[in-house]
Amino acid sequence: MKVLFAGTPEIAVAPLNGLLEAGYDVVGVLTREDAPVGRKRKLTASPVAARAEELGLPVVKANRWSDDAAAAVSALGADIAAVVAYGAILPQSALDLLPQGWINLHFSSLPHWRGAAPVQRALMAGETEIFSNTFRIEAGLDSGPVFLEESTAVEADDTAGTVLDRLASTGGALLAQTFANIEAGETGTEQSGEPTHAAKMTLADGRIDFSDTVEHILAQVRGVTPEPGAWCEFKDARFKLGMVRASEVAPEGTPGSVRLLAKKVVVTCSNGCLELTQVQPAGKKMMNAADWARGAGVNAEADRLVLV
């Protein structure tokens, strides 16, 4: 079975490697076009394109499906496609192009968390087990029949980034087994249950409201790390937060009140306190929270400084 691999970001590289390690004949890669990166906005190939070029695989670059993309993909002679975060909608004409169709590796337990940010939204909802599965792409949003599913437990220091890395590391094997099952005649299982939607993440998703509960804020920080990142405001500027953890310190003052206690920076929330471990004030690099607090004049007095 000849495979086309469609993917773009770093998270898709491990599944590509996994398919090759499983012995599948990957005949080419479909990825998004080079994009500006960094302060100098230098045009840079996607991580999947870069890996394909290292492997000597043909690369088709397209931000949207077109006649040119269709011709380039058709020329590769693939039987089936593996899709991992390609980042563009595939019309029916694309889905009909390959004899065995297009199989997506999706990071949720469908029909839950259909959409662009399933792991992030699941973590923000407080879920403690995160899934990935393979399904056949149809015209609807993540609505096709499911083939295989696996999961990972959320660990104490997990973020969306670490969970995605873990699921991606086994995603190639999940795709490989799915292709073997399809070759054996399996058609997948239709989804059942009420769908939930995982909307694309925005900067607003990362804004922390310290009048919320400790539990909800911890889940929110997990879900928005590393992107778009957790933040609040300090002195009318965006103030980024690294990982935070629950504190046993009793709350004092209004929500957002910051105190420095025994070299630990704690912030009052609605039902307790959070400890900040790293912060990034506007215009500076990420730093140790206690170092920032000492420089900002934080002490043990509640309401002296407040994050909003």
Side-chain angles (χ1 to χ4, degrees):
M1 182 180 283
K2 294 181 178 180
V3 177
L4 169 72
F5 187 89
T8 298
E10 185 65 37
I11 200 69
V13 173
L16 170 58
N17 291 337
L19 276 174
L20 292 166
E21 291 166 4
Y24 275 91
D25 182 10
V26 178
V27 295
V29 158
L30 171 65
T31 189
R32 291 180 64 85
E33 297 167 9
D34 296 0
V37 173
R39 292 185 178 180
K40 295 184 178 181
R41 311 303 289 164
K42 180 180 178 181
L43 281 179
T44 304
S46 75
V48 166
R51 179 58 179 149
E53 289 164 4
E54 290 175 355
L55 295 165
L57 297 175
V59 178
V60 178
K61 297 181 179 181
N63 287 352
R64 55 182 293 275
W65 192 256
S66 64
D67 290 344
D68 288 344
V73 167
S74 181
L76 296 173
D79 302 304
I80 196 168
V83 183
V84 187
Y86 166 44
I89 294 174
L90 296 167
Q92 191 63 48
S93 61
L95 302 182
D96 293 339
L97 186 63
L98 304 184
Q100 297 285 358
W102 301 64
I103 306 301
N104 194 53
L105 173 65
H106 184 75
F107 300 110
S108 82
S109 180
L110 291 171
H112 300 298
W113 305 120
R114 293 177 176 175
V119 170
Q120 295 90 330
R121 297 295 177 185
L123 288 171
M124 290 173 73
E127 295 186 12
T128 57
E129 185 179 17
I130 308 297
F131 293 81
S132 64
N133 61 46
T134 52
F135 73 95
R136 183 177 298 282
I137 298 178
E138 296 181 341
L141 177 63
D142 299 339
S143 60
V146 174
F147 291 93
L148 294 174
E149 182 176 89
E150 62 182 11
S151 68
T152 184
V154 178
E155 299 174 358
D157 294 328
D158 264 333
T159 66
T162 60
V163 171
L164 278 167
D165 285 344
R166 202 154 61 242
L167 291 173
S169 70
T170 57
L174 200 67
L175 282 165
Q177 185 59 56
T178 298
F179 292 164
N181 293 351
I182 289 172
E183 288 185 284
E186 290 194 22
T187 58
T189 302
E190 295 298 323
Q191 296 181 33
S192 62
E194 189 67 26
T196 53
H197 183 57
K200 183 178 179 179
M201 302 294 287
T202 68
L203 185 62
D205 288 309
R207 177 151 195 173
I208 303 301
D209 179 359
F210 290 105
S211 65
D212 208 336
T213 65
V214 167
E215 295 77 15
H216 187 271
I217 294 172
L218 286 171
Q220 183 182 359
V221 173
R222 282 182 190 274
V224 301
T225 302
E227 293 293 338
W231 62 280
C232 58
E233 285 190 3
F234 177 63
K235 295 184 177 179
D236 297 322
R238 191 149 60 96
F239 186 83
K240 298 181 182 179
L241 307 175
M243 285 304 294
V244 301
R245 50 181 173 241
S247 171
E248 295 181 356
V249 173
E252 287 187 15
T254 59
S257 298
V258 185
R259 289 173 288 159
L260 181 60
L261 302 171
K263 299 182 180 180
K264 294 183 178 181
V265 180
V266 295
V267 184
T268 295
C269 304
S270 67
N271 66 338
C273 284
L274 286 171
E275 179 188 344
L276 307 185
T277 60
Q278 289 188 311
V279 299
Q280 185 177 356
K284 297 185 178 181
K285 295 181 179 181
M286 192 68 73
M287 64 175 67
N288 179 275
D291 291 341
W292 163 79
R294 283 190 289 268
V298 177
N299 57 29
E301 181 184 345
D303 283 336
R304 175 175 169 77
L305 289 177
V306 178
L307 303 176
V308 295

